[in-house]
Each structure stands twice: as C-alpha cells, then as structure tokens.
Amino acid sequence: MQDADKNGNTNQTDGPEHSALLGRMLKGEKLALAKLVTSVENDAPFVPEIMEEIYPKTGRCYSFGVTGPPGAGKSTLVDKLIARLRAQDKMVGVIAVDPSSPFSGGAVLGDRIRMQRHALDEGVFIRSLGTRGTGGGLSRATGEVLRLFDAFGMDVVIIETVGVGQTELDIVDIADTTLVVLVPESGDTVQTMKAGLMEIADVFIVNKADREGADKMVSDLKGMVELNDCRETDWKVPVLLSQANQDQGVDEIYKELNNHREFLDTHTTEGERKAKIRRRHFLEILGHRFVKKVEMLAREDERFRDYLEEVQQDDANPYEITKTFFQDEEFARKIFGATQTKPS
Ligand SMILES: Nc1nc2c(ncn2[C@@H]2O[C@H](COP(=O)(O)OP(=O)(O)OP(=O)(O)O)[C@@H](O)[C@H]2O)c(=O)[nH]1
Ligand SMILES: [Mg+2]
C-alpha cells in the first residue's frame, strides 16, 4: 500500500509539482489531465487541494450516465452518441467505470470499450476506472474525475457503468441524466431490480432490437413506467428501442438526452440543483476525510492500537468501545483538530 503522507494531508514536497500539473491541465494539455486522473484514482494526498482549486471552474458541463447489464451494448451506443456530439463540435469526455475490475487506465480499453475510432480525436478523452487504488471509493473517484473533465473544458461527460447494482446506482447519481440500457434477455434483471431501475432511469433503452422479445420488453417497461410513482418529477420517462451496432434508434436517444437536459434547465432552477449537488459533495468529502483519518490512526497511532487490541479480546463489545472512542477527547482533537497529528 502506498502511504505517501502520514497525516492524510498535503505533502509539501509535492506542492510545486502538482500545481504545475494543474496549470498544464488548465491550459488544455491532455497528458496532464491523464496524470491528474491517475492521482485521483490513487487517492493521492494532494487531491483535495487540486479539487479545491478547480471547483470554481466546474459546473459547466452536462453529464449523462449509461448503465446496464454486461454486454447490453452500452459502449456501442456511447460510440454512436460521441459521433453525434462531435458533429456538433462538442468536446467529450468518457469515464468507463467497471466496479468488477481492478484494472484502470489503458488496461481494459481494448475489449470493453468499443470507441477506439474516437481515441485519436482531439476532442475526445476516454478513460476507464477500476477499483484499484480507490479503496472502495469508486463513486468518489468518478465524481472527482468528472470535475477534472469539467474544469478541463469538456462540454459533455459520459459515464458508462457495467451492471445494475448498488455501486452503479451510486455512480449514476453523479450524472445529470441516466440512460438505462437493457436487452430482450434482461427480463429477470428488470423484475429483481424493478424499484431501483425506476428510481434511476431518465430514459429506458431496449437495445438489440433485432433479438426476439424486444417489442415485448418495450411494452413491459412502458407499463412499469406508467405505474411508477416513486419519483417526484414531471419528467415522462421514454422507453426507446435501438439497434446500436447498426446505428438505429440512436437519433431518438440523442433527442431525448437533449430533451431531458432542457427539462432539467427549465424545471429545477440551476441554483437549486447546484445547491443539492454541493450538499452531496460536502457530505461525501467529509466522510472520505474522516475515513482516511481513522485509517491513518489505525496504522500509526499507539493509543489507537490499544483500542484495536481491546476490541479483539474475547468479551469485547465493539459498540461500547466505539462509544468510548467518540468520547475520547484526544482523538477528537486528532481527527477534527489541528492538522498535524504526530503519532504519539
Ligand atoms: N445483435 C446486436 N448486437 C449488438 C447490438 N448493439 C451492440 N451489439 C453487440 O453486443 C456486444 C456487446 O456490446 P458492447 O457495446 O461492448 O456492450 P457493453 O454493454 O458496453 O458491454 P460491457 O461494457 O462489457 O458491459 C458487441 O459485440 C456489440 O457489437 C445490437 O443492437 N444488436
Ligand atoms: Mg462497455
């Protein structure tokens, strides 16, 4: 494990180097952007400082998530959508999130991402994110990469996530609009994930229209959407049929994306929406910092080790020990107080 910094704080010696990197990124250098994405992924100690600095430059791009079971055709669809965005001269960033893969960076780009034809396009930046280094904080990392892309000047950021499960639900929460891509074979998924899907989908897509059962799937979903009352919004969730590999039905999907974006702009005030996002960011950052501090204590603090010893005893009660810990002023100071927490 790489522990560049004992305090979970900025490592001073990194200072000039990472601000130079940031400067280069803000000037539009993709290599610098790529390096910063890697830092976010590895949760490098200077990341909070970078984020603080770029935050005022964020909030301009539009983002949408594309989620659905493995092999549904998400990347194929994303590839076609990139082409439409490029035709409008939009600068596009893609984050391909794979909660099941430890790999990141270039490692899985070959197989899973069918967007290579855009890889050499100056106006497209594609990056995959695996779980490695993020320490379970894939959702945090995705949000931070999105903000880096935003500050870099991307007009649109696409977040592709494999699967339909809790991690994906967290991740799609980050995007403005969520497309859920299903295939005629997804019947079981739809049944088990019904409530979850209804909550997250702004647009349903039944891809692989060439397969048997596609029309039935569309009408089933339409029925479910009609009956759905778990969302407080006037947005009517469209259910669209596509055959992404033949570029069929993609224009309609692109149109609905724009409709939803317009809906967001007109139905929630920008201020309201951003206030909500900032509130979520704050809680996320706070939680993450807290966890890092506790991890640091567990590694390095003698007295904290006493707690760890104690909790391992046969008759120990972790709840009771947690209560004692929260009342321990020395640790309150170490966690919330001055930034320098020298191991005792
Ligand atoms: N028959 C058929 N095949 C399609 C269609 N769209 C995509 N495919 C194929 O389905 C396979 C999987 O497509 P991908 O775009 O990689 O699917 P994905 O959802 O991104 O897959 P993962 O990222 O691995 O979860 C590829 O072989 C595509 O060519 C379609 O409409 N019909
Ligand atoms: Mg894919």
Side-chain angles (χ1 to χ4, degrees):
M1 213 165 136
Q2 179 200 353
D3 302 311
D5 175 33
K6 292 182 171 63
N7 303 315
N9 294 316
T10 306
N11 183 342
Q12 292 304 321
T13 57
D14 277 332
E17 208 176 302
H18 74 249
S19 26
L21 207 54
L22 180 60
R24 281 163 49 204
M25 182 206 83
L26 293 174
K27 283 202 192 94
E29 203 188 298
K30 274 187 176 176
L31 183 63
L33 174 63
K35 284 189 173 162
L36 286 172
V37 171
T38 303
S39 309
V40 160
E41 216 181 1
N42 296 332
D43 205 5
F46 58 80
V47 167
E49 208 174 292
I50 297 268
M51 288 297 147
E52 184 179 339
E53 210 165 322
I54 64 163
Y55 204 85
K57 300 183 199 322
T58 63
R60 280 193 275 259
C61 80
Y62 167 66
S63 60
F64 67 89
V66 179
T67 192
K74 300 176 293 295
S75 301
T76 313
L77 173 65
V78 168
D79 174 83
K80 306 289 194 257
L81 290 169
I82 294 173
R84 281 156 178 81
L85 290 162
R86 292 300 295 144
Q88 308 268 311
D89 219 24
K90 303 283 184 212
M91 199 179 348
V92 186
V94 181
I95 313 172
V97 184
D98 187 350
S100 67
S101 167
F103 302 112
S104 66
V108 290
L109 279 175
D111 257 11
R112 292 212 104 142
I113 306 180
R114 287 160 214 285
M115 312 161 198
Q116 288 97 332
R117 66 180 169 131
H118 298 295
L120 294 176
D121 182 340
E122 264 302 302
V124 180
F125 189 86
I126 301 172
R127 180 63 195 244
S128 63
L129 279 185
T131 48
R132 187 184 58 190
T134 58
L138 200 48
S139 154
R140 171 199 57 82
T142 308
E144 285 177 351
V145 172
L146 171 61
R147 270 160 255 161
L148 282 178
F149 280 16
D150 191 349
F152 183 77
M154 304 288 181
D155 299 299
V156 177
V157 175
I158 308 173
I159 304 168
E160 177 185 331
T161 50
V162 184
V164 188
Q166 192 50 53
T167 329
E168 295 78 59
L169 302 192
D170 288 347
I171 291 166
V172 291
D173 203 28
I174 292 165
D176 295 312
T177 302
T178 301
L179 307 182
V180 174
V181 182
L182 298 165
V183 284
E185 296 84 3
S186 310
D188 289 346
T189 314
V190 172
Q191 285 319 313
T192 47
M193 291 293 303
K194 199 167 159 182
L197 288 174
M198 288 297 143
E199 216 172 291
I200 62 167
D202 296 308
V203 178
F204 274 116
I205 294 152
V206 177
N207 188 43
K208 307 203 179 177
D210 50 311
R211 297 259 176 95
E212 205 175 314
D215 291 330
K216 182 175 183 303
M217 182 102 191
V218 169
S219 54
D220 285 356
L221 282 168
K222 279 186 174 161
M224 279 164 60
V225 166
E226 282 287 306
L227 295 172
N228 180 38
D229 57 0
C230 75
R231 283 176 27 145
E232 303 157 18
T233 165
D234 296 331
W235 170 252
K236 292 222 170 323
V237 176
V239 180
L240 305 170
L241 194 60
S242 70
Q243 200 177 333
N245 61 350
Q246 301 293 330
D247 209 348
Q248 279 178 27
V250 181
D251 284 333
E252 287 71 16
I253 295 168
Y254 189 61
K255 208 172 88 195
E256 288 298 351
L257 272 176
N258 287 316
N259 287 346
H260 188 253
R261 182 184 191 171
E262 210 179 295
F263 175 89
L264 289 178
D265 287 347
T266 49
H267 285 71
T268 42
T269 69
E270 190 67 353
E272 250 176 69
R273 206 160 68 84
K274 293 211 167 128
K276 246 170 116 177
I277 292 172
R278 279 198 303 273
R279 186 192 128 104
R280 206 192 54 222
H281 284 174
F282 172 61
L283 293 176
E284 203 176 88
I285 297 162
L286 207 59
H288 182 61
R289 289 262 182 109
F290 185 77
V291 168
K292 279 190 85 161
K293 287 271 187 179
V294 172
E295 283 172 355
M296 182 269 293
L297 289 174
R299 277 197 311 272
E300 296 163 10
D301 192 281
E302 297 279 340
R303 266 199 67 229
F304 192 84
R305 277 197 208 130
D306 293 345
Y307 277 99
L308 293 176
E309 289 283 328
E310 195 184 337
V311 83
Q312 291 179 70
Q313 303 302 317
D314 264 352
D315 53 352
N317 181 336
Y319 288 92
E320 194 188 328
I321 297 173
T322 304
K323 196 166 77 187
T324 315
F325 176 75
F326 269 93
Q327 288 161 352
D328 190 326
E329 281 179 19
E330 187 186 331
F331 282 110
R333 236 186 359 262
K334 282 181 172 167
I335 292 176
F336 297 111
T339 48
Q340 291 305 317
T341 49
K342 282 258 176 287
S344 53

